[in-house]
């Protein structure tokens, strides 16, 4: 490139400047350095002139030839000569001698180091700055010395660094001339940071050396940086940018301002403005920096100079007038900045500024419309925002509004008082101007245009946010802005996706910890998205904003805004979004699930549903003290109660003088679906408050201070207002039920406050909240709970007979036929479970928890029968009774022949799973009045109990009876079972040491083992498994006391051992590998359950310290298991399992020692014999340990009694050694352990005496020295 090449040439020419282009086509002299003549003090110029018709390329070639000759001449003269008058000038000896007399008049000038130009191009800013300082210092010294010279021709003659030209630098020293020309050429270089460094040097040189005339500078810039038609694009661009930097250096040097101060009529300023305007018109990318240079000059000029020189510059008016048509944002910026410096009204701005000028006139609708073209064209400088926008915003918002004003405004609105100061006219004007700016420019021009302009719109909005208060958020986040955000974010591959994400990120950062801003942003986003911003955009913006409320005032402000949003339907956006709505599973707070039950109001109901669901959710992350949180809960409760439970019969506003509050409703009636949502959220709010309250608000309060009591008082107050009615009419039964619930809750509330910290306070509190939940359930579902209400009220009376509770139930109960209170309570709770909501189930669980230590066996059995209840049809329809009768007799029912799958049909589900549920029998209940009952047996249930069981199940299927198929029935039953399991889990957690735990365990284990459980619901099976493991086997305590009968334990132990022995069967015709794998895993879980149950039962037996006579049946069970282990091939009991039993309970192994050794010696299978050796070794270890603990005689007695069979076993083992190496090792291991144990008890002699002679040789060959040593001990 030519410019770069010129810069390089300048840097290496050793102070010699060659061939520079002129700005016209006149002949251009080419200069070169020649030898000095000794007789003459000057230089002879060898000039080559070219005619005007010579083309630029030919001139360039000639210039290169001259450069070549110059370098050759330098080589002949030992290199280039530095620019130094004392060394380079070979003047006349007489002249030098005469100059030595007076330094001021001599031809000697200070040295100028041209190496400084190299540092000006450095990438290090500090190096460039130091070079610029050194440059101007040396040049000033040279110029000052030059000015003091009397005979300047001597220096001029010796320093013809440039050919004689009419460049206007006549009064400048040769070094200054050279430096100025080189700096001008340097600003056009694109090498490294040359442009910045040379511009800096040019700025300080022009500003410090007044000998450089401004008109000469103009001429040099045009001549040296001429752009010709033959230049390539990059070369022309460098020259244009060089001019721009050169003009910028002049403007920033302050030279023009000083020239005007010396001569008020100077033409330099006008010429400078004209040159810049002309330069800006050449290329689009020069326009903004050219205006920036003009503005730099404007900042340095006096008012008068601006008025008579800048504004009147030739070409400026025309340029401004054309700006509106072509869309020139830089012209608008220049007009705004000049008008800011010259506060006068003038028509010279070409219509860019209104006349008269004012913020109202600038942001008038018609004027903004005329400027829209200019502003739209400002996108060329993206991603940077054009300077015209901050200039406009500074006029629109002269002062930033602080957060303190936001807080004050919020505080006043929360107190519902008038503002401390009336809204001034300036605020009204600001609001009007801001709205016009956003509607016309942002929404009307930028958002409706290209992607670049949408990007610009979001950047401008972020600029506005920094200077606005939260009260202006509705204008900034308007409907069109929010809709645009939603459209962009709904498509991840959108070009503007990251732009929208950045905008939301900056918006969240702007919100910070300011709750006023947080509320404004949330309301704006959700209002214009109909409550579905997170859903459509697939983000968590609203959720994250809502999760950061930390103060009570912030929550109160949010609740008030949501109330206004709910009531004021006129502000709700009714237009459907162009973007299809999507669901968002990651938004828990403020999430919305489309429900078929919503009314037909469309978008209005969507938004209202979000409001309803969002109110209670803000409490999830709120960390306040109890009193503050209670106040927030009360506000939320009042909103939900008013909008969900009541309507105003006269108008939309009602004032309660008792509560001293005014309540509002929407003009249009609230749909039944929204009322239902309000009630459901109200139930959840009360349930969460109940969990959090505990005993904090229960002690000795004269007035009720919990949320439940406040709600009941609030409900009664609104119910008594004549102009307020319930959202639906009630029949007589429901109206009576609600009245009874209110009276009972009031009675229990008084009793609760009077008891203080009494033991029963938890029961009172739990029952009160259940009554409240039931009241809301009655309002939610008419005609379904009146009977449950009467039963629950009876339970309350029975639970607290000392309370002064009026008996107005109207039920006549015969004396002597009253059922047990706890049975009635359990029946009532079970009847409420099937159709109850989650909050109501929570209250039911709290009531059950407070009464569970008094639950009877009948009550538990009613729950357990539901767990074991199955809708699976019988395999043999004609034999139901026979199956029921035989079920208690044989719960294992291990058959040799497998059941034919074809006969089972659909009921067997083709899983190939044997009915393992028969392995776990229901425990015999303590007392003769509670006989055993099988899964489907009704033995032990009176008519009333059977009726209640049918009632539970009837409730489950009542609404599903008309639906085809059985899936719904199964799923409803599973759901009911899961809810009952929650109650049983509470019972087990609160009463781990009660004998009833055995009954619960037995039934849960039977339900788990039943293959139908896995077929119907894997979740149900996993839940039962979890309860068995955590609440029974791993509980901190276990059943104790006399209520734990040995017969029950014997029965459970026998059946678990049989289940552990049961073989795991593989499916014969498994077409689905995943089903086969699931079946295999389930059978392994059943086997694991049997083993864990055995350990648990033995722990209970061990803790009771039963006598040997009582344990006889236990021993017999293990005898049978061991006999089957050795004799029955179908027995799959693991030897490791038996070994663990003997390890944990040594007394079992000691009792079975003789039998085990005998069976091992007579075993038919070598595999079983060798495997059983581990069991004998474990017993030997326990005997040795018992001997060390002081019970040596008992252990020795056991061994002595069994010496004969032990010697027989050893003989069998060593004379019939297994063929496999591993088994032979096991035999040797057993013999060594036996010899060690016998030696410890001094029994080798007895053993050797009973050992058969043929075994001696075998032992010696197998054990060698070990047997020899043992034999020595027996002598």
């Amino acid at each position: 490139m030519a410019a770069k090449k010129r810069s390089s040439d300048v840097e290496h020419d050793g102070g010699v400047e060659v061939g520079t282009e002129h700005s016209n086509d006149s002949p251009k002299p080419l200069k070169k350095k020649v030898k000095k003549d000794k007789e003459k003090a000057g230089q002879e110029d060898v000039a080559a002139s070219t005619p005007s018709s010579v083309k630029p390329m030919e001139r360039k070639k000639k210039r290169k030839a001259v450069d070549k000759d110059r370098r050759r001449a330098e080589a002949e003269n030992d290199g280039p000569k530095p620019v130094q008058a004392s060394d380079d000038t070979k003047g006349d000896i007489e002249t030098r001698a005469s100059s030595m007399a007076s330094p001021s008049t001599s031809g000697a000038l200070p040295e100028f180091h041209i190496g400084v130009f190299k540092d000006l191009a450095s990438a290090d800013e500090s190096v460039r700055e130091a070079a610029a300082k050194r440059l101007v210092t040396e040049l000033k010294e040279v110029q000052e010395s030059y000015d003091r010279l009397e005979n300047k021709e001597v220096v001029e003659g010796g320093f013809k660094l440039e050919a004689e030209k009419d460049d206007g630098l006549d009064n400048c020293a040769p070094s200054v001339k050279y430096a100025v020309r080189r700096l001008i050429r340097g600003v056009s270089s694109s090498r490294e940071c040359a442009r910045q460094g040379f511009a800096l040097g040019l700025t300080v040189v022009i500003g410090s050396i007044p000998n450089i005339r401004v008109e000469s500078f103009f001429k040099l810039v045009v001549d040296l940086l001429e752009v010709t038609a033959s230049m390539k694009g990059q070369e022309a661009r460098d020259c244009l940018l060089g001019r721009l930097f050169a003009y910028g250096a002049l403007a920033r040097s302050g030279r023009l301002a000083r020239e005007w101060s010396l001569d008020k009529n100077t033409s330099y300023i006008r010429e400078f403005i004209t040159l810049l305007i002309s330069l800006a018109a050449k290329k689009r990318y020069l326009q903004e920096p050219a205006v920036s240079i003009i503005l730099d000059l404007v900042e340095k000029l006096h008012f008068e100079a601006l008025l008579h020189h800048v504004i009147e510059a030739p070409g400026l008016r025309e340029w401004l007038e054309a700006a509106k048509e072509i869309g020139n944002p830089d012209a608008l910026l220049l007009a705004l900045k000049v008008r800011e410096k010259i506060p006068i009204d003038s028509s010279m701005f070409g219509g860019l500024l209104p006349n008269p000028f004012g913020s109202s006139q600038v942001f008038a609708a018609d004027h903004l419309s005329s400027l829209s073209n200019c502003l739209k064209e400002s996108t060329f400088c993206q991603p940077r925002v054009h300077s015209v926008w901050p200039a406009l915003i500074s006029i629109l918002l002269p002062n930033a509004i602080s957060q303190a004003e936001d807080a004050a405004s919020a505080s006043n609105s929360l107190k519902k008082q008038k503002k401390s100061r009336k809204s001034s006219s300036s605020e009204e004007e600001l609001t009007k101007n801001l709205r016009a700016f956003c509607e016309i420019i942002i929404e009307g021009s930028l958002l409706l245009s290209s992607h670049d302009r949408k990007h610009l719109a979001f950047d401008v909005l972020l600029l506005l946010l920094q200077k606005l208060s939260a009260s202006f958020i509705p204008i900034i986040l308007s409907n069109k802005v929010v809709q645009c955000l939603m459209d962009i974010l709904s498509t991840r591959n959108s070009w503007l996706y990251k732009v929208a994400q950045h905008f939301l990120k900056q918006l969240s950062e702007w919100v910070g910890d300011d709750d006023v801003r947080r509320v404004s942003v949330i309301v704006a986003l959700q209002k214009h998205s109909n409550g579905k911003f997170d859903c459509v955009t697939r983000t968590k913006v609203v959720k994250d904003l809502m999760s950061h409320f930390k103060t009570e005032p912030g929550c109160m402000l949010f609740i008030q805004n949501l109330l206004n949003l709910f009531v004021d339907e006129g502000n709700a956006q009714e237009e459907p979004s162009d973007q299809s709505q999507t669901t968002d599973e990651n938004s828990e707070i403020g999430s919305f699930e489309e429900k078929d039950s919503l009314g037909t109001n469309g978008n209005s109901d969507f938004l209202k549903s979000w409001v309803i669901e969002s109110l209670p959710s803000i409490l999830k992350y709120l960390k306040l003290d109890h009193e503050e949180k209670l106040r927030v809960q009360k506000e939320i409760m009042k909103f939900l109660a008013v909008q969900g439970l009541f309507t105003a019969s006269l108008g939309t506003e009602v004032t309660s003088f008792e509560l001293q509050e005014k309540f509002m409703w929407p003009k249009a009636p609230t749909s039944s679906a929204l009322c239902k949502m309000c009630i459901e959220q109200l139930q959840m709010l009360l349930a969460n408050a109940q969990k959090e309250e505990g005993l904090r608000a229960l002690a000795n309060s004269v007035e009720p201070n919990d949320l439940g009591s406040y709600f009941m008082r609030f409900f009664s107050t609104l119910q008594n207002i004549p102009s307020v009615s319930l959202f639906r009419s009630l029949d007589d039964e429901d109206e009576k039920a609600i009245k009874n619930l209110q009276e009972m809750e009031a009675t229990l509330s008084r009793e609760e406050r009077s008891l203080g910290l009494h033991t029963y306070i938890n029961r009172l509190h739990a029952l009160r909240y259940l009554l409240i939940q039931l009241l809301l359930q009655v309002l939610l579902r008419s005609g379904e709970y009146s009977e449950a209400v009467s039963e629950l009220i009876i339970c309350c009376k029975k639970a607290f007979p000392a309370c002064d509770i009026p008996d107005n139930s109207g039920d006549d109960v015969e004396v002597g036929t009253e059922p047990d209170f706890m049975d009635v309570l359990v029946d009532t709770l079970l009847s409420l479970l099937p159709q109850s909501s989650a909050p109501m189930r929570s209250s039911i669980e709290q009531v059950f928890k407070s009464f569970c230590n008094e639950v009877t066996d009948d009550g538990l059995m009613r729950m357990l029968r539901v767990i074991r209840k199955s809708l699976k049809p019988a395999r043999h329809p004609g034999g139901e009774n026979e199956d029921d009768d035989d079920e208690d007799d044989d719960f294992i029912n291990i058959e040799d022949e497998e059941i034919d799958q074809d006969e089972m049909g659909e009921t067997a589900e083709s899983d190939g799973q044997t009915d393992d549920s028969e392995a776990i029998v229901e425990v015999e209940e303590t007392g003769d009045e509670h006989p055993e009952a099988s899964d489907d047996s009704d033995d032990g249930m009176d008519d009333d109990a059977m009726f209640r069981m049918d009632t539970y199940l009837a409730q489950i299927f009542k609404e599903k009876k008309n639906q085809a198929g059985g899936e719904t029935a199964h799923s409803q039953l599973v759901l009911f079972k899961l809810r009952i399991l929650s109650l049983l889990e509470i019972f087990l957690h609160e009463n781990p040491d009660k004998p009833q735990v055995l009954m619960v365990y037995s039934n849960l284990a039977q339900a788990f083992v039943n293959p139908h459980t896995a077929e119907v619901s894997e979740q149900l099976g996993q839940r039962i498994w979890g309860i068995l493991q955590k609440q029974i086997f791993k509980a901190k305590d276990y059943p104790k006391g006399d209520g734990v009968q040995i017969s029950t334990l014997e029965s459970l132990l026998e059946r678990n051992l049989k289940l552990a022995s049961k073989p795991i069967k593989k499916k014969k015709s498994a077409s689905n590998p995943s089903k086969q794998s699931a079946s295999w895993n389930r059978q392994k879980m059943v086997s694991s359950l049997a083993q864990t149950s055995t350990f648990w039962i033995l722990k209970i037996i061990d803790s009771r310290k039963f006598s040997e006579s009582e344990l006889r049946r236990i021993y017999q069970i293990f005898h049978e298991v061991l006999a089957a282990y050795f004799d029955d091939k179908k027995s799959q009991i693991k030897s490791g399992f038996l070994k663990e039993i003997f390890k944990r309970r040594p007394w079992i192994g000691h009792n079975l020692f003789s039998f085990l050794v005998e069976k091992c010696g007579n075993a038919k299978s070598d595999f079983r014999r060798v495997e059983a050796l581990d069991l004998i070794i474990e017993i030997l270890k326990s005997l040795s340990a018992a001997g060390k603990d002081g019970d040596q005689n008992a252990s020795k007695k056991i061994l002595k009694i069994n010496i004969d069979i032990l010697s027989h076993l050893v003989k069998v083992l060593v004379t019939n050694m297994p063929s496999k190496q591993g088994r032979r090792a096991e035999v040797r291991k057993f013999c060594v352990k036996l010899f060690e144990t016998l030696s410890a008890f001094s029994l080798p002699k007895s053993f050797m005496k009973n050992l058969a002679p043929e075994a001696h040789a075998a032992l010696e060959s197998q054990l060698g020295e070990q047997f020899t040593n043992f034999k020595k001990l027996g002598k």
Side-chain angles (χ1 to χ4, degrees), residues 15 251 256 352 449 544 598 723 739 790 936 1000 1083 1122 1214 1240 1242:
L256 292 175
L352 290 174
S449 190
D544 292 340
L598 283 177
S723 58
K739 182 179 179 181
S790 60
D936 295 323
V1000 176
Q1083 291 186 67
L1122 286 176
V1214 297
S1242 304

Side-chain angles (χ1 to χ4, degrees), residues 924-1205:
E924 292 181 355
E925 298 155 1
T926 54
D928 296 336
E929 66 275 16
H930 303 300
E932 294 182 10
S934 66
D935 184 18
D936 295 323
S937 175
D938 293 329
D939 295 340
M941 295 181 66
D942 56 16
D943 292 340
D944 293 337
M946 291 175 63
F947 176 76
R948 283 190 291 268
M949 176 65 70
D950 293 339
T951 303
Y952 307 151
L953 300 178
Q955 272 187 285
I956 295 175
F957 311 123
K958 180 174 62 175
E959 297 182 356
K960 309 294 180 180
K961 61 183 179 180
N962 294 326
Q963 298 186 8
E967 268 309 305
T968 302
H970 279 293
S971 61
Q972 290 294 311
L973 179 58
V974 169
L975 188 61
F976 187 38
K977 289 182 178 183
L978 290 172
R979 295 173 180 178
I980 292 180
L981 284 175
S982 297
L983 301 183
L984 291 173
E985 190 172 12
I986 292 172
F987 173 82
L988 293 172
H989 182 270
E990 297 295 322
N991 306 280
D993 59 341
K994 284 197 171 184
Q996 294 166 312
V997 173
L998 285 171
M999 178 170 55
V1000 176
Y1001 152 75
S1002 175
N1003 286 270
L1004 291 183
Q1006 183 175 352
F1008 176 78
V1009 173
N1010 188 346
H1012 185 62
T1013 301
E1015 295 170 9
V1016 173
S1017 171
E1018 182 180 356
Q1019 180 189 7
L1020 180 62
Q1022 292 295 332
R1023 184 68 188 281
I1024 295 175
W1025 173 267
I1027 293 175
L1028 288 171
Q1029 295 293 326
K1030 295 179 182 179
Q1031 302 299 336
I1032 295 180
F1033 300 146
K1034 297 179 182 180
K1036 295 181 180 180
D1037 211 340
Y1038 49 87
K1040 298 176 182 177
D1042 296 337
V1044 180
Q1045 302 294 327
I1046 186 63
S1047 58
T1048 302
L1049 298 173
E1050 291 169 354
S1051 175
L1052 288 174
L1053 179 63
E1054 180 179 8
R1055 287 161 175 81
N1056 276 291
L1057 287 172
K1058 286 184 179 180
L1059 183 60
S1061 304
K1062 187 175 180 181
I1064 298 178
K1065 297 180 181 180
K1066 293 185 179 180
K1067 257 173 93 171
K1068 287 185 176 180
S1069 56
S1071 58
N1072 191 338
S1074 61
K1075 279 191 175 183
Q1076 184 178 8
S1077 175
S1079 174
W1080 181 265
N1081 292 333
R1082 172 171 168 74
Q1083 291 186 67
K1084 289 195 293 186
M1085 288 181 68
V1086 170
S1087 178
S1088 174
L1089 173 65
Q1091 295 179 15
T1092 308
S1093 300
T1094 301
F1095 296 143
W1096 181 69
I1097 293 167
L1098 289 175
K1099 180 172 69 173
I1100 299 173
I1101 295 173
D1102 204 11
S1103 66
R1104 286 297 311 276
K1105 307 296 182 184
F1106 290 110
S1107 63
E1108 286 294 322
S1109 60
E1110 292 176 308
L1111 295 175
R1112 190 177 302 152
R1113 175 57 185 159
I1114 301 295
Y1115 297 142
Q1116 183 182 352
I1117 293 171
F1118 277 101
H1119 274 264
E1120 295 171 356
V1121 171
L1122 286 176
Y1125 173 73
F1126 284 103
D1127 301 336
D1128 191 353
K1129 293 182 180 180
K1130 292 184 178 181
S1131 175
Q1132 296 295 322
I1133 196 165
K1134 304 298 182 183
S1135 62
F1137 170 52
L1138 294 174
K1139 180 180 176 181
E1140 187 66 22
I1141 292 176
F1142 296 159
K1143 182 178 179 179
R1144 296 188 183 191
R1145 310 297 163 197
W1147 52 272
I1148 298 177
H1150 297 170
N1151 186 273
L1152 298 176
F1153 186 66
S1154 300
F1155 180 77
L1156 179 59
V1157 172
E1158 182 180 354
K1159 294 297 292 184
C1160 188
N1162 300 326
K1164 299 176 182 179
S1165 169
D1166 287 342
F1167 172 75
R1168 288 291 172 93
R1169 177 187 295 114
V1170 175
E1171 193 178 47
L1173 294 180
D1174 264 350
L1175 305 181
I1176 301 177
I1177 290 175
E1178 187 60 42
I1179 297 175
L1180 291 175
K1181 289 179 181 179
S1182 64
L1183 289 172
S1184 299
K1188 293 178 182 179
D1189 293 339
D1191 197 9
Q1192 188 171 8
N1193 293 332
S1195 299
K1196 185 175 182 180
K1197 182 180 179 181
I1198 294 173
L1199 289 171
K1200 194 171 184 178
I1201 293 173
N1202 296 290
I1203 282 290
D1204 188 22
I1205 56 177

Side-chain angles (χ1 to χ4, degrees), residues 187-248:
V187 294
S188 67
S189 173
S190 58
R191 180 177 59 87
E192 206 170 12
C193 294
R195 187 168 285 135
Q196 294 92 320
F198 278 71
L200 175 62
L202 193 59
T203 300
V204 294
V205 168
I206 296 174
S208 303
I209 302 177
N211 299 66
I212 305 172
R213 292 186 300 172
V214 176
E215 67 270 19
S216 301
F217 179 82
F218 289 156
K219 187 174 185 299
L220 283 173
V221 170
V222 175
D223 290 347
L224 297 178
L225 302 177
E226 179 187 12
V227 178
T228 63
S230 61
M231 286 185 176
K232 296 181 180 180
Q234 181 64 33
E235 188 177 0
R237 180 175 179 272
D238 287 339
C239 288
L240 291 174
L241 289 176
R243 288 192 187 186
L244 186 71
F245 274 76
Y247 293 145

